[in-house]
Amino acid sequence: KQEVTQIPAALSVPEGENLVLNCSFTDSAIYNLQWFRQDPGKGLTSLLLIQSSQREQTSGRLNASLDKSSGRSTLYIAASQPGDSATYLCAVTGSGGAQKLVFGQGTRLTINP
Amino acid sequence: ETGVTQSPTHLIKTRGQQVTLRCSSQSGHNTVSWYQQALGQGPQFIFQYYREEENGRGNFPPRFSGLQFPNYSSELNVNALELDDSALYLCASSLPGQGASTDTQYFGPGTRLTVL
């Protein structure tokens, strides 16, 4: 059974800092990994998707890496801004069958002005 | 804006009642998934529908059921509501198998269900 863990559960940093969020998964047989952002009480916004054959994806100030063999992914946020404050979730899709996402519990990020 | 809409936004029910939640998928997306997100937790997969057939189910009892319609809308039905069913219910649509750009699942804003 696939399990996804995110560390830390919460993080508070001053504006302008670069930061890294961590995600680990127990079964390396994944199809892809996605990072999502969730604002309080809202739905999920997809930030980056990494296929199992890829090592990283970049979008603006965000960079996500994937090391499938070690079961780890990181989300790097450069030059953080107060608007980046949200909960960040990672999720993996298994390599067979339905396109089912298995989520971690998320990291609640606060960027202080 | 993902193009996925859900209704209602909020809902309050009492134990034992039945509820129907609705989702309108992004145009052309033939796959819809439903997730339950309890407060402070990550979403949990309930089930997925592909071309109107159930295509995978998570660890949820049979009182959770669904339908997908030809116009890409879908429903989640929950019978005999329990207090633990209180959660944010999210639907997500996708067009799998067409390449990396379409493997992304697009989530709706969710329906907040409270069971008293």
Side-chain angles (χ1 to χ4, degrees):
Chain A
K1 177 189 171 187
Q2 177 74 271
E3 292 183 0
V4 179
T5 303
Q6 291 186 245
I7 295 174
L11 182 64
S12 180
V13 301
E15 181 178 1
E17 281 203 1
N18 303 323
L19 57 98
V20 174
L21 307 181
N22 297 294
C23 172
S24 62
F25 47 95
T26 55
D27 185 350
S28 62
I30 64 169
Y31 181 63
N32 60 39
L33 181 145
Q34 285 185 247
W35 283 93
F36 293 88
R37 169 187 172 134
Q38 186 174 33
D39 292 292
K42 304 293 185 182
L44 279 61
T45 300
S46 180
L47 298 173
L48 290 164
L49 181 148
I50 311 176
Q51 298 290 355
S52 62
S53 59
Q54 297 175 323
R55 298 284 292 184
E56 65 179 338
Q57 283 286 339
T58 298
S59 175
R61 296 183 293 109
L62 305 179
N63 175 276
S65 68
L66 174 64
D67 184 344
K68 200 173 74 161
S69 61
S70 68
R72 294 182 181 181
S73 176
T74 61
L75 179 66
Y76 174 83
I77 302 177
S80 59
Q81 303 170 358
D84 295 330
S85 297
T87 295
Y88 291 80
L89 294 149
C90 75
V92 298
T93 302
S95 59
Q99 200 184 31
K100 161 191 169 183
L101 289 168
V102 179
F103 285 85
Q105 291 190 312
T107 293
R108 189 173 68 254
L109 176 65
T110 303
I111 307 298
N112 301 304
Chain B
E1 184 66 38
T2 66
V4 180
T5 60
Q6 291 187 244
S7 62
T9 304
H10 296 90
L11 200 53
I12 299 175
K13 292 285 189 178
T14 57
R15 256 186 326 179
Q17 286 189 311
Q18 178 267 343
V19 68
T20 297
L21 310 182
R22 294 179 173 82
C23 171
S24 178
S25 299
Q26 194 167 38
S27 179
H29 282 191
N30 56 13
T31 299
V32 64
S33 303
W34 284 90
Y35 293 82
Q36 179 195 67
Q37 186 178 24
L39 201 61
Q41 303 294 316
Q44 299 287 317
F45 176 76
I46 302 174
F47 45 56
Q48 182 181 88
Y49 278 79
Y50 171 67
R51 293 183 176 178
E52 303 169 48
E53 297 286 333
E54 188 177 290
N55 183 41
R57 188 178 184 91
N59 190 26
F60 281 81
R63 60 189 184 85
F64 286 77
S65 63
L67 286 171
Q68 185 185 26
F69 302 101
N71 65 354
Y72 304 119
S73 65
S74 64
E75 292 180 352
L76 165 65
N77 298 289
V78 187
N79 294 321
L81 284 167
E82 301 177 359
L83 297 179
D84 285 348
D85 295 334
S86 295
L88 181 68
Y89 288 85
L90 298 162
C91 75
S93 74
S94 62
L95 188 62
Q98 301 297 311
S101 64
T102 52
D103 279 343
T104 299
Q105 293 199 27
Y106 296 91
F107 281 79
T111 292
R112 172 71 63 187
L113 173 65
T114 302
V115 182
L116 302 176

